[in-house]
Amino acid sequence: MSEIPYKIYLEESEMPTAWYNVRADMKNKPAPLINPGTHQPMGFEELRGVFCDELVRQELNNTDRYIEIPEEIRNFYKMYRPSPLVRAYCLEKALDTPAKIYYKFEGNNTSGSHKLNSAIAQAYYAKAQGLKGVTTETGAGQWGTALSMACAYLGLDCKVYMVKVSYEQKPFRREVMRTYGASVTPSPSDTTNVGRQILADFPGTTGSLGCAISEAVEAATSTEGYRYVLGSVLSQVLLHQSIVGLESKAAMDKYGIKPDLIIGCAGGGSNLGGLISPFMGEMLRGEQEYEFIAVEPASCPSLTRGKFVYDFCDTGNVCPMAKMYTLGSRFIPSPNHAGGLRYHGMSSILSQLYHDGYLKARSVEQTAVFDAATKFARVEGILPAPESSHAIRVAMDEALKCKETGEEKTILFGLTGTGYFDMVAYEQYNNGTMTDYIPTDEELEKSFAQIPEVDA
Amino acid sequence: MSEIPYKIYLEESEMPTAWYNVRADMKNKPAPLINPGTHQPMGFEELRGVFCDELVRQELNNTDRYIEIPEEIRNFYKMYRPSPLVRAYCLEKALDTPAKIYYKFEGNNTSGSHKLNSAIAQAYYAKAQGLKGVTTETGAGQWGTALSMACAYLGLDCKVYMVKVSYEQKPFRREVMRTYGASVTPSPSDTTNVGRQILADFPGTTGSLGCAISEAVEAATSTEGYRYVLGSVLSQVLLHQSIVGLESKAAMDKYGIKPDLIIGCAGGGSNLGGLISPFMGEMLRGEQEYEFIAVEPASCPSLTRGKFVYDFCDTGNVCPMAKMYTLGSRFIPSPNHAGGLRYHGMSSILSQLYHDGYLKARSVEQTAVFDAATKFARVEGILPAPESSHAIRVAMDEALKCKETGEEKTILFGLTGTGYFDMVAYEQYNNGTMTDYIPTDEELEKSFAQIPEVDA
């Protein structure tokens, strides 16, 4: 076995040509999406009004283990993939740990995160169907940026509803999207019924992700030739993001490395689900053992403190409902929460795997996350996104445990993106003014009380 | 010959182990630095008060063709190098050109540019000499960020004087530097004599690069255990940046590609000099023919409209003087100028090569540059820095010429960095409010009049 380089890059010829669908290997399949009015499972005909046809097929496909990646998407992937699998030699040295730490770095593209992997896929199928454009929402802006890039590449119109407070506080993200030709509307806006209603009910509101989703869905379903696309949570998104795990696994296999522990941050679950999928598949098929840890913010703890029930995915209750670990669709993290990972629910796939005991979860507080981010930046030279830094925090904690026990564990974590557009949060941390907040049981109970009863 | 992949990555084992010193192959050597008071050439003893010893040796070394890269620097390089050599298939297709376009992308590191290549070298030699820290200036912030990263890695103190207007308008750049542990002082400041003098003479001034250089030099020379470091212009910096050209050449040689035309943006010359060095060496030795184009902003046209004379490198006249193409040390580009490339002078090496006819120069206006940047971003998926986009503009112009003539030229250009911190300029462009400015002959004459007479 040759010496492990700092960065393992696959050759173009070694890149995956099919996505891996973990649902094919799950004994307990994720529960189906249901209609928010009738509570009946939604089939192809009902879903195709919201999503484009091929994506509905992928959303409903619980059986095919591999789904071929169309050539045009593979060519787009070649512009920024394969992403490097990095051996964190410098971090290991700084921690003085016997653990071997690897991370899959998805930040080396202009969207700054893994979101581009699904954005190009969703835009491609919309284009292939002859649609004119797509609509979506964005909070911090990573997903909106990724979708703008994909749409610019394919010549597809892109309408982004951006949570108003982010629109105003993150003008640079907004300008990147505009540079890629997207139209960006602060949400809530007066361009949709649901937006006008929210503005009337809550004058002066700065918006929320759930509200922006409702606007984007209304805009898509009320405009000829448009469909709605979403950057996380959905099973189709985890399918596309499996490219992250497949590349990681191929790179590790090439050097005969087997990870003991795989760690990812989890908001809606797109990164974690993508990273762990092929490894989880081996475990589900009984071929291999791994330990998986989902890391979420203590301020938005859907896995560690949420309920596993059907809930709304948006504020306006226009989206399909999903069975998932949820904090309630009206839950909004405390205003001191920095970065993403602020969604109230979790991917149905990951929720089911967690419920069935295949996946562990841990919540961390944000000052501890930024401690880890800053240490990591200084020794590994990459300024991580706050979201990604949740995984760094736990990877460092686990490596420090190995230092105590002497175990030479091999740890793999997902470094989903860069923090260039998160410097307001870093500034708070640098100035010592960053604070933590953990919701009380009472707050969560209040939020849980708004979850509807569903017999499904 | 195998098919050219989208991105060519060298293996770690193929990475250069020595920098290439183009001065060794120059018949007419660059003129020596001279003392601003006596106008006598400065030797080792005089320069070592400003720069650390090994860097002075490199600055004075006109003879050794290769200088070994110390192992610790090579290990640091492995964290973000080799950088990809990208075949711009998508750009070629969008331009419908028979030209083959390649670019060397230096933006995949947290400093966002090639500057890190010299920052780590300069910090390393300072550390090796047992120094406590280094001082420098930064304008847009790329160099300051790179130096902060290098110093954090080596445990060296880093004091950055940041042009006040940038300090206030680019708080995010400032925070990245602070995250890497640097102290950042807006310049002019009351921490130096030269700063206090400038504040007294020009109350309310927003500072300039030349002024920040003076403050950083004073801070270094008046503090025990500190030296001054500079991110461009100096011959030592071009030496370190030769890694860019060496990797490019190795990657092209691997696939049997020979560029006809090599294009780089030029401010102080660090990127262009580094990119072209090994190719220029072949031409100087009569082994190969290439065409080289330096691209500069029409608003700061040192090569295309400057004088080739000795001039001050800073406002306070405390730095060594250099013989170079210069607009005069008091020249400041029009306030509508976006991005870097705003230095009044040009590397002595490049100035000499230009004077001797080995290098061409072209100036471009910034709206045309942002036209090219936006088109490039949409088809190649990378949001380029304004500086780098100067090279993109000319590469696109040359590829379009090939479309007319049918020539299948192979074009290589340097994509020095990313534009994540330049969204204010992109916003102006997106809003249609960006303007151009070309200094008049009268303005330049006024600036030339301040260049001192030197008999050397």
Side-chain angles (χ1 to χ4, degrees):
Chain A
M1 198 172 74
S2 39
E3 201 192 335
I4 312 293
Y6 278 63
K7 299 191 253 52
I8 305 176
Y9 280 106
L10 299 176
E11 302 287 329
E12 276 182 14
S13 58
E14 297 169 317
M15 286 175 68
T17 57
W19 294 300
Y20 167 67
N21 182 9
V22 72
R23 288 167 287 172
D25 286 310
M26 289 170 70
K27 205 151 92 182
N28 299 325
K29 307 293 182 192
L33 297 172
I34 61 171
N35 182 300
T38 66
H39 293 182
Q40 293 305 304
M42 293 174 81
F44 180 78
E45 286 304 327
E46 206 176 0
L47 285 168
R48 65 185 298 210
V50 181
F51 306 113
C52 71
D53 292 0
E54 192 55 35
L55 291 168
V56 173
R57 284 186 200 103
Q58 294 182 357
E59 192 64 31
L60 297 173
N61 188 333
N62 284 340
T63 50
D64 292 329
R65 193 174 277 164
Y66 289 98
I67 293 176
E68 197 188 326
I69 307 174
E71 190 185 358
E72 192 157 358
I73 298 177
R74 281 191 279 130
N75 282 341
F76 186 87
Y77 281 165
K78 285 182 194 167
M79 296 206 310
Y80 70 101
R81 309 200 66 82
S83 70
L85 179 77
V86 186
R87 172 72 181 268
Y89 282 118
C90 299
L91 182 62
E92 290 172 18
K93 197 175 153 196
L95 297 175
D96 190 23
T97 175
K100 291 165 181 57
I101 309 175
Y102 294 84
Y103 55 91
K104 180 70 167 170
F105 180 43
E106 292 287 318
N108 270 351
N109 71 72
T110 289
S111 80
S113 82
H114 66 292
K115 296 279 184 183
L116 196 52
N117 302 328
S118 185
I120 184 61
Q122 295 191 52
Y124 168 82
Y125 291 116
K127 181 81 180 177
Q129 193 176 321
L131 296 176
K132 192 169 162 236
V134 291
T135 71
T136 199
E137 76 295 329
T138 200
Q142 285 182 338
W143 167 247
T145 310
L147 189 67
S148 306
M149 289 177 66
C151 288
Y153 180 80
L154 294 169
L156 205 60
D157 189 40
C158 180
K159 293 184 197 298
V160 180
Y161 287 84
M162 186 172 190
V163 177
K164 189 182 273 175
V165 62
S166 295
Y167 182 90
E168 285 162 2
Q169 290 182 353
K170 297 200 162 188
F172 294 170
R173 273 283 188 203
R174 181 188 74 208
E175 287 308 320
V176 179
M177 290 184 259
R178 288 183 69 208
T179 298
Y180 282 94
S183 76
V184 187
T185 306
S187 167
S189 74
D190 61 5
T191 67
T192 63
N193 290 326
V194 64
R196 284 187 289 270
Q197 187 62 51
I198 290 169
L199 284 172
D201 292 349
F202 306 97
T205 177
T206 54
S208 73
L209 207 51
C211 163
I213 294 176
S214 299
E215 284 206 270
V217 171
E218 181 185 322
T221 50
S222 63
T223 316
E224 182 67 29
Y226 280 77
R227 289 295 185 282
Y228 170 68
V229 297
L230 179 66
S232 190
V233 183
L234 295 173
S235 297
Q236 61 186 266
V237 177
L238 268 70
L239 173 71
H240 307 147
Q241 294 296 353
S242 71
I243 188 87
V244 177
L246 290 165
E247 280 186 11
S248 301
K249 191 158 186 322
M252 294 189 119
D253 286 348
K254 197 170 164 177
Y255 284 88
I257 308 158
K258 191 245 154 194
D260 301 301
L261 174 58
I262 304 177
I263 300 166
C265 63
S270 72
N271 147 66
L272 179 73
L275 175 67
I276 68 175
S277 272
F279 301 98
M280 180 64 81
E282 287 191 322
M283 189 148 102
L284 292 170
R285 296 191 300 270
E287 297 163 9
Q288 191 63 270
E289 284 292 314
Y290 299 101
E291 188 182 351
F292 302 101
I293 304 180
V295 189
E296 57 185 16
S299 54
C300 191
S302 53
L303 283 176
T304 50
R305 297 175 69 195
K307 287 192 183 306
F308 186 44
V309 292
Y310 267 104
D311 195 9
F312 295 114
C313 292
D314 63 326
T315 310
N317 305 352
V318 298
C319 279
M321 293 178 74
K323 188 174 178 191
M324 57 187 177
Y325 279 86
T326 175
L327 298 168
S329 63
R330 299 296 170 110
F331 180 84
I332 293 180
S334 157
N336 78 340
H337 174 98
L341 309 182
R342 51 170 62 243
Y343 190 65
H344 67 277
M346 179 61 65
S347 135
S348 290
I349 292 176
L350 292 180
S351 291
Q352 188 66 48
L353 289 169
Y354 179 65
H355 184 72
D356 291 344
Y358 290 105
L359 172 67
K360 293 174 188 170
R362 202 174 292 173
S363 74
V364 289
E365 296 180 53
Q366 68 178 1
T367 50
V369 165
F370 275 81
D371 283 345
T374 302
K375 173 161 274 182
F376 181 84
R378 292 186 186 185
V379 298
E380 286 287 323
I382 293 171
L383 186 79
E387 296 84 349
S388 326
S389 304
H390 287 70
I392 297 175
R393 173 73 273 166
V394 171
M396 284 172 62
D397 290 345
E398 292 294 317
L400 289 170
K401 274 189 210 163
C402 289
K403 186 180 174 181
E404 281 176 27
T405 63
E407 278 180 288
E408 295 188 20
K409 269 192 192 172
T410 296
I411 299 171
L412 165 65
F413 73 89
L415 188 66
T416 54
T418 48
Y420 305 129
F421 293 96
D422 301 285
M423 295 317 297
V424 170
Y426 273 99
E427 182 174 12
Q428 286 173 354
Y429 176 78
N430 291 337
N431 290 340
T433 55
M434 176 171 275
T435 55
D436 291 318
Y437 184 79
I438 302 179
T440 63
D441 288 340
E442 291 68 33
E443 284 172 284
L444 291 186
E445 286 306 326
K446 215 173 129 188
S447 183
F448 291 148
Q450 295 178 322
I451 298 173
E453 296 256 341
V454 173
D455 292 326
Chain B
M1 197 173 72
S2 39
E3 202 193 335
I4 312 294
Y6 278 61
K7 299 191 255 50
I8 305 176
Y9 280 106
L10 298 176
E11 300 288 329
E12 275 182 15
S13 58
E14 297 169 316
M15 285 174 69
T17 58
W19 293 301
Y20 167 67
N21 182 9
V22 71
R23 287 168 288 171
D25 286 311
M26 289 170 70
K27 208 152 88 181
N28 299 326
K29 307 292 182 192
L33 297 172
I34 62 172
N35 182 301
T38 65
H39 292 184
Q40 293 303 304
M42 294 174 82
F44 181 77
E45 286 305 327
E46 207 176 359
L47 286 168
R48 67 186 296 210
V50 182
F51 306 113
C52 71
D53 293 0
E54 193 56 35
L55 292 168
V56 173
R57 285 187 200 102
Q58 294 181 358
E59 192 64 30
L60 296 173
N61 189 333
N62 285 339
T63 49
D64 292 329
R65 193 175 277 165
Y66 289 99
I67 294 177
E68 198 189 324
I69 307 173
E71 191 186 357
E72 193 157 356
I73 299 177
R74 280 190 279 131
N75 282 342
F76 187 88
Y77 281 164
K78 285 181 195 167
M79 295 205 312
Y80 70 100
R81 309 200 66 82
S83 71
L85 179 76
V86 186
R87 172 73 182 267
Y89 281 119
C90 300
L91 182 62
E92 290 171 17
K93 194 174 154 196
L95 297 175
D96 188 22
T97 175
K100 291 166 181 57
I101 308 175
Y102 293 84
Y103 55 92
K104 180 70 167 170
F105 181 43
E106 292 287 317
N108 270 351
N109 70 73
T110 289
S111 81
S113 81
H114 66 294
K115 296 278 183 184
L116 197 53
N117 302 327
S118 185
I120 184 62
Q122 296 192 52
Y124 168 81
Y125 290 117
K127 181 81 179 176
Q129 193 175 321
L131 297 176
K132 194 169 162 240
V134 290
T135 71
T136 200
E137 77 295 329
T138 200
Q142 284 183 338
W143 167 247
T145 310
L147 189 68
S148 305
M149 289 177 65
C151 287
Y153 181 79
L154 294 168
L156 205 61
D157 190 39
C158 180
K159 292 185 199 300
V160 180
Y161 287 86
M162 186 170 187
V163 178
K164 190 183 273 176
V165 61
S166 294
Y167 182 91
E168 286 162 359
Q169 289 182 353
K170 297 200 161 189
F172 294 170
R173 274 281 187 205
R174 181 187 77 209
E175 287 309 319
V176 178
M177 291 184 257
R178 290 183 69 208
T179 298
Y180 280 94
S183 77
V184 187
T185 306
S187 168
S189 75
D190 60 5
T191 67
T192 63
N193 289 327
V194 65
R196 284 187 290 269
Q197 188 61 50
I198 289 168
L199 284 172
D201 292 349
F202 306 96
T205 176
T206 54
S208 73
L209 207 51
C211 164
I213 294 176
S214 299
E215 284 206 271
V217 171
E218 182 185 321
T221 53
S222 63
T223 317
E224 183 68 30
Y226 281 76
R227 290 295 185 282
Y228 170 69
V229 297
L230 180 65
S232 190
V233 184
L234 295 173
S235 297
Q236 61 185 267
V237 177
L238 268 69
L239 174 71
H240 307 146
Q241 294 296 355
S242 70
I243 188 87
V244 177
L246 290 164
E247 280 185 10
S248 301
K249 191 158 186 324
M252 293 189 120
D253 286 348
K254 199 169 164 178
Y255 284 88
I257 308 157
K258 190 246 154 194
D260 301 299
L261 173 58
I262 304 178
I263 299 166
C265 63
S270 72
N271 148 65
L272 178 73
L275 174 67
I276 68 174
S277 272
F279 300 99
M280 180 65 80
E282 287 190 322
M283 189 147 100
L284 292 169
R285 296 191 300 272
E287 298 164 8
Q288 191 63 271
E289 284 292 316
Y290 298 101
E291 187 182 353
F292 302 102
I293 303 179
V295 189
E296 56 185 17
S299 54
C300 192
S302 52
L303 283 176
T304 48
R305 296 176 69 196
K307 287 191 184 306
F308 186 43
V309 292
Y310 267 105
D311 195 8
F312 296 113
C313 291
D314 63 325
T315 310
N317 305 353
V318 299
C319 280
M321 293 176 74
K323 188 174 178 191
M324 56 187 179
Y325 279 85
T326 175
L327 298 168
S329 65
R330 299 295 169 111
F331 179 84
I332 293 180
S334 157
N336 78 340
H337 173 99
L341 310 183
R342 49 170 64 243
Y343 190 65
H344 67 277
M346 179 60 65
S347 139
S348 290
I349 292 176
L350 292 181
S351 292
Q352 189 65 49
L353 290 168
Y354 179 64
H355 185 71
D356 292 344
Y358 290 104
L359 173 65
K360 294 174 188 170
R362 203 174 292 174
S363 74
V364 289
E365 297 181 53
Q366 69 179 0
T367 49
V369 165
F370 276 80
D371 283 344
T374 302
K375 174 161 274 181
F376 181 84
R378 293 186 185 185
V379 298
E380 286 288 321
I382 293 172
L383 186 79
E387 296 85 350
S388 327
S389 304
H390 287 70
I392 297 174
R393 172 74 274 165
V394 171
M396 283 171 62
D397 290 345
E398 292 293 318
L400 289 171
K401 276 189 210 163
C402 290
K403 186 179 173 179
E404 281 175 28
T405 63
E407 278 180 288
E408 294 189 20
K409 270 193 191 171
T410 297
I411 299 171
L412 166 64
F413 73 90
L415 188 67
T416 55
T418 47
Y420 305 129
F421 293 96
D422 300 285
M423 294 318 298
V424 170
Y426 273 99
E427 183 174 11
Q428 284 173 354
Y429 176 78
N430 291 337
N431 290 340
T433 56
M434 176 171 276
T435 54
D436 292 318
Y437 185 79
I438 302 179
T440 63
D441 288 341
E442 290 68 33
E443 284 172 284
L444 289 187
E445 285 305 327
K446 215 173 132 187
S447 184
F448 291 148
Q450 295 179 323
I451 299 174
E453 296 256 341
V454 173
D455 292 326

